[in-house]
Each structure stands twice: as C-alpha cells, then as structure tokens.
Amino acid sequence: MSLKSILLIFIGGGLGSIVRYYLSHLMNSYQLIKFNLGTFSVNVIGSFFIGLILGYVLKSQPENQNLISFAVIGFCGGFTTFSSFSYDNFLLLKQGDYLQFLMYAVGSLVVGLLAVAIGFLITKY
C-alpha cells in the first residue's frame, strides 16, 4: 500500500466521520420510535454510496484505486458505523426490547444489502 493510498483513506475517513456525526444527530432529533434512526440512516446511506461508487468504478474506471481508497474505504468506512450499530443492539437486548432489537438488526442488514445492490444497479444505466 502506498503512502498516497494511506493519505486518501485517512482524509476520506475523517470527512466521513464528521458527516456521520452531524447526520446522526440530525436524524436522531426527528426520532419517532425507540430505534436509533441516526445509525440506521448513515449505514443505509453509506451502503447505497458504496454500491454506487463500486458500480461506477467497475464500469468506468476499473483501475482507479485512488477513488476506492478515498471514497469506499475512507469516506464510507468513516461514515458507516458497525460499532454504534452493535452498541445500539446491545442496549436494546439489555433493556429486554427484543422486538425492537430484531427489527433494528435484521432491518439494518436487509436494507443495507438492498441499498448496496440498488446503488450498484443504478450505475448500469
């Protein structure tokens, strides 16, 4: 791995983390149910971006490792958050809220995978 790739990942990750922080707080301020809408939203949006970016790179610029390093590994890696997702699920289990836990965990996985697939498919057209 080159120094350039490391710097692209570092800058992208920092920017993604900042955007995640603000978007999560914004989404949580509109929360209507117990479920952590902020973490759910950034993970789904990040999954969609990963699908779009990877679809674009594979279609148009298959050798563009710089875009993958910056946008997918860096930005989307910093933007999405598995640790917050895990913590949210742990709290739901600890509180005995098994229905919310199942909806959040399964919903995040299913909707996240669909978001990647939709983003990827959009780049075909």
Side-chain angles (χ1 to χ4, degrees), residues 7 10 12 14 16 18 21 24 26 28 35 37 41 44-45 50-51 53 58-59 66 76 80 89 104 107 112 117 119:
L7 288 173
F10 175 75
I18 291 166
Y21 175 79
S24 289
L26 177 68
N28 284 337
F35 174 119
L37 192 57
S41 298
V44 171
I45 292 167
I50 287 170
I53 296 162
L58 292 174
K59 179 180 176 182
N66 289 336
C76 290
T80 59
N89 280 297
Y104 184 54

Side-chain angles (χ1 to χ4, degrees), residues 43-55:
N43 286 337
V44 171
I45 292 167
S47 296
F48 177 71
F49 284 162
I50 287 170
L52 279 177
I53 296 162
L54 287 177

Side-chain angles (χ1 to χ4, degrees), residues 78-119:
F79 182 68
T80 59
T81 175
F82 188 75
S83 57
S84 292
F85 167 74
S86 298
Y87 178 69
D88 295 340
N89 280 297
F90 174 77
L91 289 179
L92 289 171
L93 286 172
K94 188 177 173 188
Q95 295 165 358
D97 200 344
Y98 303 114
L99 181 60
Q100 286 293 325
F101 162 75
L102 274 173
M103 288 178 16
Y104 184 54
V106 174
S108 293
L109 179 64
V110 170
V111 175
L113 287 171
L114 283 172
V116 171
I118 290 167

